[in-house]
Amino acid sequence: NAGVTQTPKFQVLKTGQSMTLQCAQDMNHNSMYWYRQDPGMGLRLIYYSASEGTTDKGEVPNGYNVSRLNKREFSLRLESAAPSQTSVYFCASKSERGGFFYNEQFFGPGTRLTVL
Amino acid sequence: GQQVMQIPQYQHVQEGEDFTTYCNSSTTLSNIQWYKQRPGGHPVFLIQLVKSGEVKKQKRLTFQFGEAKKNSSLHITATQTTDVGTYFCAGFKAAGNKLTFGGGTRVLVKP
């Protein structure tokens, strides 16, 4: 089991460029999440997907779009990157075994994005 | 909206000493989780607390959930260099379906 994988690991963009961050999990989890991590700010939820075919906004969704392509994959798209989107992006997944609230989240290794 | 605050933001600890980090929520939580992130790494789940007043131990780590289910603490005894990292608490609110993370406590250990 690879767990949660993310690509790319590093990316540098110029302001206005677009890109898609990819995330996949092989644990058959229904729920998937995208977070951004900035120094001193902890992890802030961008979007999440409780099941295939559904997505919902989190705390900081502006400037991002997501696609839950299938049960395994959840991608995050920046249509027009801005310097304020320089951050580390983590994808996570969670099972609902035993109840929705009561399971741990498994995180991917992260994508370190710099927008110039 | 729901807010989860952690103090201190930074903790410098002499190797062998004990310390405690605190997590406070603005609203009552259904459960709380703790994660550890090593420098350059990703968050890794440590433990979950569900019941009011619950205390759980993992070797030198003791986790506590407050009676009102609005706060939690992590106490580490005899700190080691392997304890270096950032510790996050994250709370689930009963009516919500996502975790809210605190800002984390970054632990630095002086040998």
Side-chain angles (χ1 to χ4, degrees):
Chain A
N1 276 357
V4 180
T5 57
Q6 291 183 238
T7 56
K9 285 186 168 54
F10 300 92
Q11 184 70 50
V12 178
L13 293 177
K14 294 181 180 179
T15 297
Q17 287 185 319
S18 62
M19 78 160 296
T20 300
L21 281 63
Q22 306 287 352
C23 173
Q25 51 92 10
D26 62 0
M27 295 173 282
N28 202 36
H29 290 168
N30 282 325
S31 297
M32 297 187 73
Y33 306 82
W34 275 105
Y35 294 91
R36 61 177 288 173
Q37 184 175 33
D38 302 296
M41 300 287 288
L43 291 149
R44 293 185 292 170
L45 183 65
I46 305 171
Y47 272 93
Y48 66 101
S49 170
S51 62
E52 185 180 350
T54 68
T55 60
D56 286 286
K57 294 179 180 179
E59 183 184 353
V60 288
N62 291 345
Y64 305 95
N65 286 301
V66 290
S67 295
R68 183 74 183 267
L69 304 169
N70 47 56
K71 193 171 186 178
R72 289 188 63 249
E73 299 172 287
F74 189 36
S75 63
L76 178 72
R77 183 161 178 83
L78 288 70
E79 290 291 351
S80 179
S84 60
Q85 294 178 303
T86 294
S87 188
V88 181
Y89 291 85
F90 287 102
C91 176
S93 72
K94 180 174 74 69
S95 81
E96 283 69 52
R97 174 178 46 86
F100 187 86
F101 298 116
Y102 303 112
N103 294 288
E104 66 189 276
Q105 291 194 3
F106 292 85
F107 285 82
T111 295
R112 282 147 181 80
L113 175 67
T114 300
V115 183
L116 303 175
Chain B
Q2 180 185 349
Q3 289 189 326
V4 177
M5 309 293 290
Q6 279 186 257
I7 53 172
Q9 189 173 355
Y10 296 93
Q11 180 79 54
H12 291 82
V13 189
Q14 192 73 42
E15 191 173 12
E17 290 185 342
D18 303 352
F19 77 91
T20 303
T21 177
Y22 300 90
C23 176
N24 297 296
S25 171
S26 58
T27 58
T28 302
L29 301 170
S30 60
N31 58 317
I32 196 159
Q33 298 178 351
W34 285 88
Y35 291 78
K36 178 182 178 181
Q37 183 179 23
R38 295 184 186 276
H42 58 276
V44 175
F45 176 80
L46 291 176
I47 208 160
Q48 175 166 256
L49 305 169
V50 178
K51 299 176 184 177
S52 171
E54 188 171 15
V55 178
K56 286 188 176 181
K57 291 189 176 184
Q58 284 182 351
K59 297 182 181 178
R60 296 177 294 101
L61 277 61
T62 301
F63 303 84
Q64 187 167 7
F65 202 7
E67 294 290 341
K69 301 185 77 173
K70 293 180 72 173
N71 54 69
S72 181
S73 64
L74 160 59
H75 181 78
I76 300 181
T77 59
T79 304
Q80 300 177 358
T81 54
T82 54
D83 296 323
V84 165
T86 302
Y87 294 82
F88 293 99
C89 65
F92 256 125
K93 190 177 175 181
N97 54 5
K98 49 192 181 292
L99 281 175
T100 298
F101 280 82
T105 293
R106 184 176 173 189
V107 176
L108 303 166
V109 179
K110 294 177 283 187

